[in-house]
Amino acid sequence: MRFDLHLQSLAREQFEAVTGKMKSWEVNERITANEADRIREAVNCFSHTTERQDLRIAGVDASGDFPLLNYADSFIYLAVAQATVYGADRLNGLKEVAPKPDTIFHLSWMPENAEVGEQQLELSFEQLAGLSLLEVIERSDYRQLKQLVAPRKQSVAQLLESLIRPLASDTGNLAIQLRSTAEFGTALRLLNGERDINYLLVDTTFSLPLLPSMNSLFYEHLKRLCCVEARTAGIGFFALSKSHGLTAVEQLEALVKDVQGLTGAEPAEHWCLRIPEQKREGWELSLAEGRRLPPIGAVSYLVRFHRTTPMLRLDIDSVYWEQFVRGASEAETRSRERKIFEDLDYGCHDMRVYGYPYPIHAAHMKASLTNSERAAFRKQVIAEAVKQGMRPILFRDPSKATGHR
């Protein structure tokens, strides 16, 4: 990118305007004295946990190349997903459990032709999920949640018909859908397997972006099916996100330090805060005003496992929360919450990602593709295509061809 003098001046003006808006939003006082007292009461501190028995924590993550290659008017997409399972070991701490779950490796071919491309996309969804589209929609509780906020009720057939099916060239949309479907399809396989796990963690949220509209994304249904299967099995299927999307977090951090009796610049650690809802706790967190937090069908927490890691957001399926977390009293509920976060804290002591559950990191590292691997996969696809008489000159790496890599 090149700038002449007048463009540089214009850029500076816009920098000043944008950062000015950010500053005014940041300094806007959001927490009242009354709310501060409620937050202090709601903060739940848990213990640094280095010993556990009979504990297994799993993680799932996905990646891919979207697209891997372009051939004439068609595209080839690659989705990769990996699950990991780790157990508590007295001698070695957190240790990977054998046998390792299979890696999901899926190539999707989609032509720009709308009808054929749609068929191929649906086939990819079914192969990644391990179930038909219809079965996922029928067994998921997404339809029940949608009825709470959508303009009108939709049948299973209508939900199937209204799924968003992007064209083959809509790479950004397909990247999100294929990667997410691979991730939740892997999670579903693990939940339906023979593995004795206590928690399954995914690096995302339980937000359902299209819940209020008449359309939906297939992976939204699949995400909620994972919630259904997890609570049936008594497994904690939790979404952990590094982005909480809240303002005035310094005020919140200061309140937590008050609770723990801490001073100095270091932030507090080993604490969680259940984000309150009016129906459940009788008050709401002003920091979450204007945000879908917690999302419909979930109970959300803010949590910090270690002072060197950022404050995280954890989403729990609301039905699971009612069945396995909520107690007969608030004290019992807080005790169960501490148990959950102490279990998760046990998985946060690997030095490579201290303060973050290692099973998710391990799944991410195993599912991530290096540039050399991507290049090797392209060469393999082209080599196989040439064997079948296709012309190698028609294959293109879109990002390389347009200089966007």
Side-chain angles (χ1 to χ4, degrees):
M1 183 178 289
R2 299 290 183 268
F3 288 101
D4 56 25
L5 292 177
H6 80 276
L7 283 178
Q8 290 181 15
S9 176
L10 177 63
R12 283 196 300 270
E13 291 174 1
Q14 294 192 41
F15 294 154
E16 292 174 3
V18 169
T19 54
K21 292 177 182 178
M22 293 171 63
K23 180 63 177 177
S24 64
W25 180 253
E26 179 187 40
V27 300
N28 186 21
E29 200 73 17
R30 305 297 297 274
I31 301 178
T32 65
N34 180 56
E35 186 183 7
D37 290 337
R38 291 194 166 193
I39 291 174
R40 292 189 186 96
E41 293 176 0
V43 169
N44 197 356
C45 300
F46 54 90
S47 301
H48 177 70
T49 307
T50 57
E51 292 188 8
R52 271 294 186 267
Q53 295 181 13
D54 302 321
L55 174 66
R56 289 193 176 186
I57 304 174
V60 175
D61 204 2
S63 68
D65 210 349
F66 311 99
L68 181 72
L69 284 169
N70 170 219
Y71 181 83
D73 71 335
S74 61
F75 294 79
I76 297 174
Y77 290 89
L78 171 62
V80 180
Q82 180 67 58
T84 61
V85 181
Y86 283 79
D89 184 274
R90 283 188 174 183
L91 297 178
N92 302 303
L94 203 64
K95 184 177 180 180
E96 189 167 12
V97 176
K100 298 178 182 178
D102 293 335
T103 301
I104 298 297
F105 183 95
H106 181 73
L107 283 176
S108 304
W109 168 77
M110 296 180 205
E112 193 67 359
N113 179 280
E115 182 178 354
V116 180
E118 185 175 299
Q119 293 172 354
Q120 292 300 314
L121 177 60
E122 291 182 357
L123 178 62
S124 291
F125 282 162
E126 292 183 344
Q127 291 174 340
L128 289 170
L131 295 171
S132 70
L133 302 185
L134 188 63
E135 187 174 0
V136 169
I137 295 173
E138 286 178 333
R139 291 171 51 187
S140 173
D141 67 356
Y142 181 83
R143 179 162 52 111
Q144 288 74 28
L145 294 178
K146 201 173 187 69
Q147 289 175 356
L148 300 176
V149 294
R152 63 178 184 272
K153 294 182 179 180
Q154 292 174 285
S155 66
V156 171
Q158 289 172 326
L159 286 169
L160 179 61
E161 179 64 27
S162 62
L163 288 177
I164 293 177
R165 300 167 173 86
L167 292 174
S169 57
D170 191 352
T171 57
N173 198 334
L174 284 168
I176 294 172
Q177 294 216 46
L178 290 170
R179 181 171 56 246
S180 299
T181 302
E183 181 173 12
F184 292 117
T186 302
L188 186 62
R189 288 175 174 83
L190 195 61
L191 291 168
N192 289 331
E194 298 299 325
R195 296 180 180 278
D196 180 21
I197 58 176
N198 303 98
Y199 305 100
L200 174 56
L201 307 177
V202 287
D203 183 8
T204 182
T205 71
F206 280 165
S207 297
L208 304 169
L210 295 185
L211 196 66
S213 74
M214 299 306 293
N215 297 106
S216 60
L217 301 166
F218 176 68
Y219 76 80
E220 292 181 298
H221 298 269
L222 188 58
K223 180 190 295 188
R224 290 305 309 180
L225 178 55
C226 288
C227 292
V228 171
E229 294 298 316
R231 63 189 184 234
T232 300
I235 296 171
F237 176 57
F238 303 156
L240 189 65
S241 172
K242 295 181 282 294
S243 176
H244 49 73
L246 298 179
T247 60
V249 291
E250 292 84 359
Q251 291 179 269
L252 179 59
E253 295 270 15
L255 295 174
V256 178
K257 291 180 70 173
D258 287 347
V259 174
Q260 296 188 350
L262 300 176
T263 59
E266 292 288 350
E269 60 183 357
H270 297 107
W271 63 269
C272 66
L273 172 66
R274 186 195 325 138
I275 297 179
E277 286 188 290
Q278 189 66 41
K279 292 182 179 179
R280 190 177 60 229
E281 284 88 6
W283 65 288
E284 294 178 325
L285 191 66
S286 63
L287 302 184
E289 184 180 352
R291 298 165 176 81
R292 294 177 182 174
L293 189 64
I296 294 175
V299 176
S300 296
Y301 292 82
L302 300 176
V303 58
R304 187 191 288 278
F305 293 105
H306 191 262
R307 62 182 179 274
T308 61
T309 55
M311 185 167 63
L312 305 172
R313 165 184 163 185
L314 183 91
D315 288 352
I316 298 179
D317 168 39
S318 58
V319 179
Y320 176 93
W321 189 87
E322 292 287 345
Q323 292 179 350
F324 299 99
V325 184
R326 187 169 200 163
S329 64
E330 179 63 18
E332 185 178 0
T333 300
R334 289 168 66 90
S335 175
R336 292 179 179 181
E337 290 172 337
R338 285 193 295 273
K339 169 65 165 55
I340 288 173
F341 285 103
E342 286 170 358
D343 286 346
L344 298 182
D345 183 65
Y346 180 86
C348 292
H349 299 148
D350 189 284
M351 295 306 296
R352 288 165 286 189
V353 282
Y354 204 88
Y356 185 78
Y358 184 73
I360 302 184
H361 175 75
H364 170 75
M365 295 302 295
K366 291 182 179 182
S368 297
L369 298 176
T370 65
N371 288 335
S372 59
E373 287 172 331
R374 297 170 197 266
F377 292 145
R378 293 189 189 102
K379 290 180 180 179
Q380 286 179 275
V381 171
I382 294 173
E384 291 299 322
V386 171
K387 289 181 182 179
Q388 299 186 41
M390 299 174 68
R391 299 174 61 191
I393 195 172
L394 294 181
F395 280 97
R396 295 287 186 272
D397 174 0
S399 58
K400 183 177 181 181
T402 55
H404 285 80
R405 179 169 296 282

